[in-house]
């Protein structure tokens, strides 16, 4: 395995240092470099904090900024941040309106964010949203129930806009729970990933195979299948999501095609084209789109498709200004 | 080779269709889908047109918009656009102030853009800037002299800002030539690329090898070497560039770390961290930075580093508003 790194022990810290230096107008390190936070916090606003293992970049650090997260805590590769990191982020970003923790549904993340919430409870009001957007997992691998995958970006964008609009902590928590019923994701991998520490591939695929329903830690999915055309692969994914999400003809859909790290942007746009056409052929309305490499699994080749059913309120939150390293629109965007 | 596509013949057209649909507020197809152009052209401004083979996305289509390109012509994978495409882009975007063609220095591109300029000369004033930023090639592979690689982004950003500021055609051409002396790039690859049509890898590397000085068509570079730490690889690249560019202690540098398509963003930030520290250890001043996957070679694993010596004028052009699919800052950025 060839990776640009100096040692497995220091790779996360060095990558974070590069990120903060490259985006110093947007973000800064929190105390003791335990987390990355918005350079300018907004007093009176509920603080949004997320985090998880490294290896999913630009999530979550790339979502820190106006209209999205106030802080992101990064653990080691595919390893939850510690409660200590999360408590430090709560202490530094809560300006009195409380903290909303956005957690992907993996056992390690859930446990450490819960522990942090308990440790910080005496001094802070805290609510937690646990994201569960994967159509596939149903308890496999590292999670109880559906995993939190690329749909986490959508949850963080919508809740970030609501927080910026002055929503209160409890209302944000309730919106987060509601969003869990409106967002579904399914992924496909063309190649397993190798974790830097272990030098072991999560799974090995033949030249003509793909893994459907893969997770963002390279967990095997629900089925191994013969590789096929983009039309067929995307069609299968969209059908599986639609079966689960049950969008109506009146729903307005966000279609989000997300690269896992090793897939070129040209293929993502081609997949988006196929997804849009497939949705339209089902009589569904594609109202918004996002295409890019946002929620990754190291350099895994593959992509996920997320569909979200948005009503007027969610559409306005999606369109609201955002100014982060990875996502930026509707605002006077910061020079990097 | 597993790629998300339906057929080698249609992959470029389908990917472009997805791109235009995903960014319909920013761009639109030109006549007969021969090119992608800004949705809203600015009358009286010199039109900037670039293009090249597909397989380098988001370049150039992702650079179409306010503050950068007016149109981008895409050929088949690693194949120049035809003169016919380029003439159509000239006809549609020239509002009387003339057209500046920005061409990467590869024989095919140079030939077809020259032919287009001749064909369009009767009705339009045209100037051409041929970008030559590679430190390594010196005539190898598909080009006479230095190749145009990731530094093309920098040239297009600076010329785009100058055009937006009202610069005239001849002055833009002269600035482009001057920029050729100020920008140098060197790349490293960890894995050759497979072109969809041929199913043949451009080169094959062992598990412990890398290719230094690689081009963006997966051309072999100047040396095959043992894979090393990020510190060593980045140090070698920065030293080679500095030997060629000869920046002074008063120069203000832009450091641009560019992923080739298959390298995760976390590794790019780690490489940026190493590059910044190395420049500083040489007494050089890093004034600006850019880190991301912008000028690619399909899904090649690897990265390039570009250093640019910027004076006040170029710094202000770099900082000037830009609102494209791939690069956006300093402007009220368009919702995608």
């Amino acid at each position: 395995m060839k990776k640009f790194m100096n040692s497995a022990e220091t790779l996360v810290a060095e990558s974070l240092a590069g990120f903060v230096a490259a985006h110093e107008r947007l973000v800064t390190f929190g105390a003791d470099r335990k987390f990355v936070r918005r350079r300018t916090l907004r007093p009176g606003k509920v603080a949004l904090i997320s985090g998880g293992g490294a290896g999913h970049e630009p999530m979550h650090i790339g979502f820190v900024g106006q209209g999205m997260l106030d802080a992101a805590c990064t653990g080691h590769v595919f390893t939850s941040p510690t409660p200590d990191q999360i408590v430090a982020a709560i202490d530094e970003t809560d300006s009195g309106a409380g903290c909303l923790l956005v957690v992907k549904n993996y056992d390690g993340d859930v446990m450490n964010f819960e522990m942090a919430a308990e440790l910080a409870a005496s001094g802070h009001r805290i609510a937690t949203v646990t994201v569960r957007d994967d159509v596939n997992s149903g308890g496999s691998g590292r999670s109880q129930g559906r995993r939190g995958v690329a749909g986490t970006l959508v949850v963080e964008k919508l809740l970030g806009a609501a927080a910026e609009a002055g929503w209160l902590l409890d209302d944000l928590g309730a919106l987060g729970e509601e969003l869990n019923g409106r967002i579904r994701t399914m992924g496909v991998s063309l190649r397993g990933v190798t974790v830097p520490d272990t030098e072991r591939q999560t799974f090995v695929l033949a030249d003509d195979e793909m893994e459907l329903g893969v997770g963002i830690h390279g967990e095997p999915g629900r089925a191994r299948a013969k590789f096929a055309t983009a039309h067929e692969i995307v069609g299968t994914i969209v059908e599986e999501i639609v079966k689960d999400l049950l969008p109506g003809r009146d729903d307005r859909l966000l279609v989000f095609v997300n690269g896992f790290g090793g897939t070129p942007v040209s293929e993502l746009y081609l997949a988006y084209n196929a997804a849009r056409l497939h949705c339209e052929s089902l009589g569904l309305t594609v109202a918004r789109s996002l295409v890019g490499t946002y929620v990754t699994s190291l350099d895994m080749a593959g992509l996920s498709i997320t569909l979200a059913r948005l009503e007027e309120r969610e559409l306005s939150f999606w369109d609201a200004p955002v100014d982060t390293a990875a996502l930026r629109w509707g605002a006077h965007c910061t020079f990097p």
Side-chain angles (χ1 to χ4, degrees), chain A:
Chain A
M1 183 197 48
K2 290 177 279 191
K3 286 181 70 68
F4 292 102
M5 63 184 208
N6 293 307
S7 75
E9 292 70 39
T10 59
L11 74 90
V12 174
E14 290 176 70
S15 179
L16 287 175
F19 177 82
V20 170
H23 301 288
E24 61 183 1
R25 288 169 187 81
L26 276 169
V27 298
T28 184
F29 274 118
D32 302 327
R33 300 197 163 203
K34 286 179 184 168
F35 57 95
V36 171
R37 73 164 175 84
R38 281 169 77 158
R39 176 162 283 281
T40 311
L41 297 168
R42 260 192 69 190
K45 187 183 83 69
V46 172
L48 253 68
I49 299 173
S50 189
H56 305 303
E57 292 77 10
M59 178 173 80
H60 299 272
I61 49 173
F63 307 153
V64 173
Q66 184 200 335
M68 230 166 150
L69 300 178
D70 293 276
C73 307
T74 306
H76 201 64
V77 177
F78 294 170
T79 306
S80 171
T82 61
D84 174 57
Q85 289 177 270
I86 302 161
V87 169
I90 293 170
D91 283 340
E92 199 166 314
T93 60
D94 182 7
S95 64
C99 283
L100 183 69
L101 309 181
V102 184
V103 186
K104 299 191 299 301
N105 190 30
Y106 290 97
D107 295 345
D109 287 336
V110 169
M111 188 176 73
N112 284 6
F113 273 88
E114 264 178 14
M115 204 178 298
E118 280 168 31
L119 288 167
S122 61
H124 305 273
R125 288 191 308 125
I126 293 171
T128 299
V129 172
T130 307
V131 183
R132 313 181 205 90
D133 60 310
D134 196 298
V135 293
N136 266 286
S137 42
S140 77
R142 296 161 177 243
S143 67
Q144 297 287 323
R146 296 171 184 277
R147 301 178 288 222
V149 288
T152 309
L153 176 151
V154 184
V155 173
E156 294 181 354
K157 174 68 183 81
L158 300 180
L159 291 176
E164 212 77 52
W167 279 41
L168 300 179
L169 183 62
D170 291 346
D171 298 332
L172 290 169
L175 176 59
E177 276 315 308
E178 195 189 321
L179 293 176
N180 268 320
R182 295 178 163 276
I183 304 171
R184 287 291 175 270
T185 301
M186 183 168 166
V188 56
S189 172
L190 313 188
R191 189 175 70 223
V193 298
T194 310
V195 182
D197 283 329
T198 66
E199 299 272 337
R200 190 167 40 81
Q201 275 229 317
T202 52
F203 53 82
V204 178
L205 292 171
D207 279 351
D208 63 346
E209 286 180 331
M210 62 182 172
E211 185 77 28
L212 276 166
V214 70
I216 56 170
H217 304 92
E219 308 95 310
R222 70 156 79 165
R224 190 155 299 184
K226 288 284 171 205
F227 191 64
T229 64
H231 179 76
E232 291 167 291
I233 297 170
V234 169
T236 300
I237 292 176
V238 168
E239 299 277 350
E240 287 292 325
I241 294 175
V242 165
K243 232 168 29 184
D244 192 2
L245 186 65
L246 299 173
R249 279 166 179 267
D250 293 340
D251 276 315
R252 304 185 69 188
L253 290 185
L254 163 69
V255 177
F256 167 30
V257 176
N258 171 62
F260 281 144
T263 294
V265 65
S266 55
E267 296 182 39
L268 302 181
Y269 281 117
L270 191 146
Y272 170 68
N273 193 53
R276 187 176 53 92
L277 294 173
H278 201 93
C279 286
E280 288 171 1
S281 77
L282 296 174
L284 300 169
T285 304
V286 178
R288 297 292 185 274
S289 65
L290 183 69
V291 183
T293 300
Y294 294 106
V295 177
T296 63
S297 182
L298 296 168
D299 64 348
M300 184 158 76
L303 56 81
S304 63
I305 297 177
T306 300
L307 299 185
R309 290 167 35 218
L310 304 182
E311 298 189 350
E312 283 308 320
R313 184 185 62 183
E314 286 85 30
L315 283 172
S316 75
F317 286 150
W318 179 256
D319 295 354
V322 60
D323 185 18
T324 68
L327 226 60
R328 29 181 52 200
W329 64 66
H332 190 91
C333 291
T334 304
F335 178 77

